C-alpha cells in the first residue's frame, strides 16, 4: 500500500542553482513560522563553514505540512566533492526536485545527481529556477534537460515529464515564464500531483536503513533514516545488522519525527516516516535496524570511491603546541575515525612505521573542509601534497578523469585553452550564451590540482569553474608541476623589513615584518625554478656614520595571502602545509638545511 499523507522529497542540483534559497522560500510562505524564526538567507546553512563559503556541505532534513500532507524535504549539497552526501540521502526519498538554472542550464553535477536519482527509481520534478535573470532562456534550458534525460536512458520518465518555472529569490512559481506567479505553492501542488507517497508494508517486520548520523551531547548518537517496513517504538528491542554480518541487539531510548525545522518526540513511527532513533550506541551509516525476531538486512549503502588522497600527520614544526589543543597522533586518529562514522565518501588508512594517516576523499574541497573543521576544533596537523588515486586494470595503470566546465568571457578564452591544454585537457564542446563562452573539457584529475588559481589569475577573476568525476582511463603522460622554486628560511626568529626588502626584488613573499619564521619554513616564491635558502631575519648594521645616499625608505609589497585550498594546491612533493587554529604556513618536509643538501646529494 502507499501512504498518501506523506511525501519524501530530495532537492538536488548543481552548485549555486538555488536549492537552499528555494527551501527558504518554502519556509517563509508555509505560514508555519513567525518572521523572527526565519532570519537572514540560506536558513538551513547553519554551519559556520557553509555560511562563509556560501555552499551547502551537509544534507539536512525538514518537514512542511501542506494541504493535509506532510512533505519531508531533504536539502542536499551541490558541489561535486560532496556527492557522497547526496548518494546516501537519496535512499530516503521517493521523488526529487531537480533544479536547473534558467541561464546556465544542466551542468556537470546536474548530470551526476540526476543519474543517482534515476538509479534509486525516484520520480523527478524539474524546476527551471532563476527565470528572473536577464539572461534567462527557460525553454532552451528545458529542452537541454530533456536531452539530459535521454542521455541517461530515462525513457520511462519522459512519458510523464513534470516541470515548472520558478524564481526562488522573488518567491514565485509559474507554468509560463512570461507570466509572473503569485507564490511558490505551485511547486508543492506539482509535488503532490506527480510524486507518489512511499510504498509501505506496516504489517511486515521492522526494517530501517540508517543513512545519516547526528550527535547530541545529551543523548549521544542519533540514527536517521526512512522506515521501509513495520514500525519502531520507544523502549523496543531491535537488532542492528552491521557490516561483516555482525548483529547487535539494542534498545531504542526514544523516537523522533521531523517537524518543521526541528524534531518532535513520538511514541511510535511507522513505515514511510523519516525517523531519528536515539539509544543505539554502536550504529553506523549503512546499518539496518531490524526486528529482533526476524532479522533481515537491507542492501548496504554503496557510494562512488574516492579519487584524491593526502597524508595527515601531527605538527612537527618548532612552533607546534603554541596555538592548538590536540597535538598527538592519538588525538588525530580518534578524530579521523569519528569522521568516518558519518562521512561515507571518506577513507582513512594508517601508514605503518609512521604517525601519519592516508586520507582519501572525493576532491580537494572535500578534504580541505575536513581540515578546516579540525583546525577550528583546536587540532594542529601537517598535510602533504594531494595525489590522485590510480588503479591497475588489465595490467595497465588508470587514473581518474574529470569533466571540467569553464564559463569565461570570449576575450579571455585564449589563456584558458592554453592552461588547460598544458595539463592534457581535451576540449569536448563549446557554446556561447550572451556575453560568456562555455567550454567543456575532459582532463586528468592530476591536471586540476592548482589549476583553479591559475585560471582565475589568467582571466582576472572572471572565470567560473566547475568539475566532476567522469571515469577512470589509461594514464596520460607527465603533467608540468610548479614552475617556480621557493625561498626557504635557514634561521629561526622574526622576519625583518630590511631583509624582506632585499628579498622581494627576486621573489613574492608569504610573510610580513614581525611574523615568526623557523628553519625550513617557506617564506616566499622564487622568481627562478630552484629553491633558495635565505635569511629573512637579517637586520641592517648600525654605525655612527650617516650619508645622504645610504638611507632609503623601505617600501614592501603586501605579502601573498594563502588560503588553505591555495596552500594545498601550491606545495610540491617535498613540502607540507602546517595547519593550526590561527595560522597556515608552508614548510619543507625536512627542516634542516644541511639535511636537505645531504638528501639532494644522495638523490643526485
Amino acid at each position: 500500500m502507499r501512504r498518501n499523507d506523506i511525501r519524501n522529497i530530495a532537492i538536488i542540483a548543481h552548485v549555486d542553482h538555488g536549492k537552499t534559497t528555494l527551501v527558504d522560500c518554502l519556509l517563509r510562505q508555509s505560514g508555519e513560522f513567525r518572521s523572527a524564526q526565519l532570519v537572514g538567507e540560506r536558513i538551513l546553512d547553519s554551519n559556520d563553514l557553509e555560511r562563509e563559503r556560501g555552499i551547502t556541505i551537509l544534507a539536512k532534513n525538514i518537514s512542511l505540512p501542506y494541504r493535509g500532507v506532510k512533505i519531508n524535504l531533504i536539502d542536499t549539497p551541490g558541489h561535486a566533492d560532496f556527492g557522497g552526501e547526496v548518494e546516501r540521502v537519496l535512499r530516503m526519498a521517493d521523488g526529487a526536485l531537480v533544479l536547473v538554472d534558467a541561464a546556465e542550464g544542466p551542468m556537470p553535477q546536474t548530470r551526476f545527481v540526476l543519474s543517482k536519482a534515476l538509479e534509486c527509481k525516484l520520480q523527478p520534478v524539474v524546476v527551471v529556477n532563476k527565470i528572473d535573470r536577464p539572461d534567462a532562456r527557460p525553454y532552451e534550458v528545458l529542452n537541454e534537460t530533456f536531452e539530459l534525460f535521454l542521455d541517461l536512458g530515462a525513457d520511462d520518465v519522459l512519458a510523464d515529464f513534470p516541470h515548472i518555472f520558478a524564481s526562488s529569490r522573488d518567491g514565485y512559481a509559474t507554468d509560463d515564464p512570461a507570466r509572473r506567479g503569485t507564490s511558490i505553492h505551485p511547486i508543492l501542488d506539482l509535488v503532490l500531483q506527480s510524486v507518489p507517497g512511499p510504498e509501505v508494508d506496516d504489517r511486515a517486520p521492522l526494517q530501517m536503513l540508517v543513512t545519516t548520523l547526528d550527535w547530541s551531547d545529551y543523548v549521544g548518537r542519533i540514527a536517521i533514516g526512512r522506515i521501509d517496513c513495520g514500525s519502531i517504538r520507544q523502549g523496543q528491542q531491535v537488532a542492528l545488522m552491521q557490516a561483516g554480518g555482525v548483529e547487535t541487539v539494542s534498545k531504542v531510548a526514544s523516537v523522533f519525527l521531523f517537524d518543521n525545522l526541528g524534531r518532535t518526540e513520538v511514541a511510535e513511527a511507522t513505515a514511510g516516516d523519516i525517523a531519528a532513533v536515539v539509544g543505539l550506541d554502536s550504529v553506523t551509516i549503512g546499518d539496518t535496524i531490524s526486528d529482533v525476531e526476524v532479522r533481515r538486512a537491507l542492501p548496504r549503502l554503496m557510494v562512488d570511491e574516492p579519487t584524491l588522497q593526502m597524508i595527515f600527520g601531527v605538527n612537527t614544526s618548532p612552533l607546534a603546541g603554541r596555538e592548538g589543543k590536540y597535538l598527538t597522533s592519538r588525538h588525530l586518529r580518534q578524530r579521523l575515525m569519528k569522521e568516518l562514522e558519518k562521512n561515507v565518501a571518506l577513507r582513512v588508512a594508517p601508514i605503518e612505521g609512521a604517525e601519519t594517516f592516508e586520507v582519501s576523499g572525493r576532491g580537494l574541497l572535500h578534504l580541505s573542509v575536513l581540515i578546516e573543521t579540525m583546525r577550528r576544533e583546536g587540532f594542529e596537523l601537517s598535510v602533504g601534497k594531494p595525489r590522485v588515486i590510480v588503479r591497475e586494470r588489465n595490467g595497465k595503470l588508470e587514473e581518474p578523469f574529470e569533466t571540467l566546465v569553464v564559463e569565461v568571457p570570449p576575450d579571455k578564452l585564449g589563456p584558458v585553452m592554453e592552461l588547460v591544454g598544458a595539463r592534457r585537457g581535451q576540449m569536448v564542446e563549446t557554446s556561447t550564451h550572451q556575453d560568456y563562452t562555455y567550454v567543456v573539457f575532459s582532463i586528468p584529475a592530476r591536471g586540476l590540482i592548482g589549476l583553479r588559481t591559475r585560471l582565475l589569475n589568467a582571466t582576472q577573476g572572471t572565470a567560473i569553474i566547475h568539475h566532476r568525476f567522469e571515469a577512470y582511463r589509461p594514464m596520460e603522460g607527465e603533467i608540468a608541476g610548479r614552475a617556480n622554486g621557493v625561498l626557504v628560511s635557514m634561521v629561526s626568529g622574526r622576519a625583518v623589513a630590511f631583509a624582506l626588502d632585499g628579498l622581494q626584488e627576486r621573489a613574492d613573499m608569504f610573510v610580513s615584518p614581525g611574523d615568526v619564521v623557523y628553519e625550513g619554513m617557506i617564506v616566499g616564491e622564487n622568481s627562478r625554478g630552484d629553491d633558495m635558502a635565505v635569511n629573512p631575519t637579517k637586520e641592517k648594521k648600525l654605525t655612527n656614520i650617516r650619508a645622504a645616499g645610504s638611507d632609503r625608505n623601505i617600501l614592501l609589497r603586501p605579502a601573498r595571502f594563502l588560503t588553505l585550498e591555495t596552500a594545498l594546491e601550491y606545495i610540491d612533493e617535498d613540502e607540507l602545509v602546517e595547519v593550526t587554529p590561527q595560522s597556515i604556513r608552508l614548510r619543507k618536509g625536512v627542516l634542516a638545511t644541511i639535511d636537505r643538501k645531504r638528501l639532494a646529494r644522495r638523490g643526485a
Side-chain angles (χ1 to χ4, degrees):
M1 59 173 285
R2 289 194 178 272
R3 285 187 61 176
N4 293 319
D5 62 336
I6 196 170
R7 299 289 190 276
N8 297 320
I9 308 292
I11 304 179
I12 57 177
H14 188 78
V15 64
D16 283 339
H17 280 199
K19 298 178 300 300
T20 307
T21 306
L22 175 62
V23 175
D24 284 1
C25 186
L26 293 171
L27 290 171
R28 295 185 196 283
Q29 295 190 21
S30 66
E32 297 291 319
F33 304 94
R34 302 187 307 274
S35 58
Q37 293 178 274
L38 305 174
V39 179
E41 298 178 349
R42 302 192 310 275
I43 298 164
L44 291 192
D45 286 349
S46 53
N47 186 296
D48 289 340
L49 275 177
E50 292 177 322
R51 290 236 173 241
E52 290 172 16
R53 295 170 181 260
I55 60 174
T56 301
I57 297 173
L58 302 172
K60 302 172 188 70
N61 298 65
I62 63 169
S63 74
L64 290 175
Y66 183 71
R67 297 192 174 178
V69 178
K70 180 180 181 180
I71 300 178
N72 287 314
L73 289 172
I74 309 167
D75 185 23
T76 64
H79 201 285
D81 285 20
F82 306 109
E85 287 279 312
V86 181
E87 290 180 70
R88 61 181 175 80
V89 299
L90 287 180
R91 294 287 292 271
M92 294 192 288
D94 300 296
L97 286 178
V98 184
L99 266 67
V100 187
D101 191 297
E104 296 180 358
M107 298 291 279
Q109 185 69 357
T110 312
R111 173 181 289 271
F112 169 77
V113 294
L114 182 56
S115 65
K116 295 300 179 183
L118 295 174
E119 284 178 18
C120 294
K121 302 290 192 293
L122 303 189
Q123 170 63 51
V125 176
V126 175
V127 180
V128 180
N129 195 26
K130 301 188 181 183
I131 60 173
D132 56 308
R133 287 182 57 162
D135 56 346
R137 45 190 189 94
Y139 285 114
E140 290 181 46
V141 166
L142 188 62
N143 290 335
E144 291 173 7
T145 309
F146 183 83
E147 293 171 4
L148 177 58
F149 275 92
L150 281 175
D151 290 345
L152 296 176
D155 299 331
D156 53 334
V157 178
L158 296 178
D160 181 15
F161 189 71
H163 64 273
I164 198 166
F165 304 95
S167 169
S168 301
R169 189 186 66 175
D170 292 347
Y172 70 88
T174 176
D175 294 329
D176 182 1
R179 180 171 49 86
R180 182 186 175 97
T182 57
S183 73
I184 204 72
H185 290 163
I187 291 181
L188 298 178
D189 292 331
L190 189 60
V191 165
L192 297 186
Q193 174 187 336
S194 306
V195 179
E199 190 172 350
V200 299
D201 186 353
D202 53 359
R203 296 184 180 181
L206 169 66
Q207 278 185 307
M208 171 180 163
L209 182 67
V210 178
T211 53
T212 307
L213 282 183
D214 200 357
W215 173 266
S216 167
D217 292 334
Y218 300 101
V219 297
R221 205 174 293 189
I222 304 171
I224 300 172
R226 194 181 81 172
I227 304 173
D228 278 34
C229 306
S231 61
I232 190 167
R233 302 179 306 279
Q234 181 178 345
Q236 180 179 351
Q237 292 280 345
V238 296
L240 269 182
M241 315 299 289
Q242 300 184 295
V246 177
E247 300 179 8
T248 308
V249 177
S250 301
K251 183 179 180 180
V252 175
S254 51
V255 180
F256 293 83
L257 292 180
F258 288 90
D259 182 22
N260 294 335
L261 288 175
R263 295 192 282 251
T264 302
E265 187 171 0
V266 295
E268 182 181 32
T270 57
D273 286 327
I274 295 178
V277 181
V278 175
L280 312 179
D281 295 334
S282 61
V283 67
T284 59
I285 290 176
D287 292 352
T288 300
I289 302 175
S290 176
D291 184 86
V292 73
E293 299 294 336
V294 183
R295 303 185 180 186
R296 291 186 303 166
L298 292 165
R300 288 192 72 83
L301 280 170
M302 300 296 292
V303 300
D304 291 344
E305 290 298 311
T307 58
L308 198 72
Q309 67 183 22
M310 295 161 61
I311 304 299
F312 284 35
V314 295
N315 185 13
T316 56
S317 86
L319 304 181
R322 296 192 181 186
E323 299 173 4
K325 295 187 297 182
Y326 306 110
L327 314 171
T328 67
S329 58
R330 177 177 61 85
H331 289 133
L332 183 58
R333 177 191 294 273
Q334 289 175 349
R335 179 61 181 85
L336 291 174
M337 294 305 152
K338 181 180 177 182
E339 185 70 21
L340 278 179
E341 295 177 357
K342 56 183 179 181
N343 198 335
V344 294
L346 198 73
R347 303 287 185 272
V348 176
I351 297 177
E352 292 185 9
E355 296 182 344
T356 55
F357 300 86
E358 190 178 75
V359 182
S360 306
R362 285 286 183 87
L364 190 62
L365 183 62
H366 184 203
L367 295 174
S368 67
V369 164
L370 170 60
I371 298 169
E372 182 67 30
T373 304
M374 291 174 64
R375 73 182 284 233
R376 295 186 181 202
E377 294 172 358
F379 282 85
E380 288 192 12
L381 62 156
S382 58
V383 185
K385 180 180 175 63
R387 299 189 187 94
V388 299
I389 300 174
V390 298
R391 69 183 188 186
E392 187 174 347
R393 187 175 182 183
N394 298 329
K396 294 183 179 180
L397 288 179
E398 293 185 337
E399 67 175 332
F401 276 68
E402 306 230 354
T403 298
L404 172 68
V405 179
V406 183
E407 177 185 349
V408 68
D411 59 323
K412 300 288 194 303
L413 183 58
V416 172
M417 301 293 291
E418 182 180 350
L419 283 170
V420 178
R423 291 169 174 250
R424 300 189 176 272
Q426 300 289 327
M427 188 174 72
V428 177
E429 62 177 281
T430 180
S431 60
T432 302
H433 301 150
Q434 299 289 335
D435 298 330
Y436 276 82
T437 299
Y438 289 79
V439 193
V440 182
F441 299 94
S442 179
I443 184 172
R446 283 182 298 150
L448 286 175
I449 299 174
L451 180 62
R452 178 181 293 271
T453 303
R454 298 190 181 190
L455 283 177
L456 291 175
N457 290 338
T459 61
Q460 285 77 50
T462 57
I464 301 173
I465 305 151
H466 302 294
H467 62 89
R468 82 162 191 90
F469 173 73
E470 183 181 337
Y472 270 89
R473 292 183 190 152
M475 285 277 292
E476 292 278 348
E478 289 295 321
I479 293 177
R482 191 178 67 203
N484 298 77
V486 292
L487 302 186
V488 186
S489 175
M490 55 184 176
V491 295
S492 298
R494 287 189 179 273
V496 176
F498 175 76
L500 298 183
D501 183 44
L503 294 173
Q504 73 175 356
E505 297 177 1
R506 61 176 73 92
D508 287 335
M509 305 309 298
F510 297 153
V511 295
S512 301
D515 288 351
V516 178
V517 299
Y518 54 83
E519 184 181 9
M521 178 175 163
I522 297 172
V523 296
E525 180 181 75
N526 194 2
S527 58
R528 299 181 179 180
D530 55 342
D531 295 345
M532 182 187 301
V534 298
N535 180 5
T537 66
K538 181 181 178 181
E539 298 181 348
K540 182 179 180 181
K541 299 298 183 183
L542 298 180
T543 68
N544 291 329
I545 301 173
R546 290 290 178 268
S550 62
D551 288 337
R552 65 186 181 90
N553 290 331
I554 293 176
L555 298 176
L556 293 177
R557 296 193 301 269
R560 189 195 299 182
F561 174 73
L562 292 175
T563 63
L564 179 59
E565 280 87 2
T566 55
L568 292 172
E569 290 178 344
Y570 183 82
I571 58 174
D572 218 333
E573 293 290 346
D574 63 336
E575 297 164 2
L576 300 172
V577 179
E578 177 189 350
V579 181
T580 71
Q582 299 175 22
S583 308
I584 294 174
R585 304 183 184 94
L586 305 184
R587 51 162 286 189
K588 287 291 185 179
V590 178
L591 294 178
T593 306
I594 188 66
D595 292 340
R596 290 200 305 277
K597 290 181 178 179
R598 188 179 294 118
L599 288 173
R601 284 196 299 267
R602 288 179 187 172

